[in-house]
Amino acid sequence: MEHIIQVELRTDNTHTLTWLDAALKPKPGMVLLCKGDPRPWTVVHAYLITARESRDSNVSWKAEVH
């Protein structure tokens, strides 16, 4: 089971809501990189402060702290 947190990310003029692995401990202002995307993404807001368990999550982001 994964622990995930919903966050709002921004790059250039693009905003998106997505689920990230809670192990990244996303906080506003944190810059992340997504595999296959050269653009840096900035965490705007973490909507779920407490991690949520998910069995069949559709977490497509595999981000690395930049």
Side-chain angles (χ1 to χ4, degrees):
M1 222 179 274
E2 290 184 273
H3 287 86
I4 54 177
I5 297 176
Q6 187 178 36
V7 297
E8 177 184 359
L9 298 174
R10 179 189 74 222
T11 187
D12 302 322
N13 292 328
T14 303
H15 283 253
T16 190
L17 287 174
T18 192
W19 295 95
L20 293 179
D21 185 342
L24 291 172
K25 298 180 182 173
K27 293 183 169 96
M30 179 182 273
V31 177
L32 304 172
L33 296 175
C34 180
K35 288 183 180 178
D37 187 346
R39 302 172 295 175
W41 289 82
T42 302
V43 176
V44 176
H45 188 78
Y47 290 101
L48 286 177
I49 305 231
T50 304
R52 176 179 174 187
E53 289 184 358
S54 176
R55 290 181 190 203
D56 297 321
S57 68
N58 189 12
V59 180
S60 59
W61 286 70
K62 298 297 181 191
E64 300 172 4
V65 178
H66 176 76

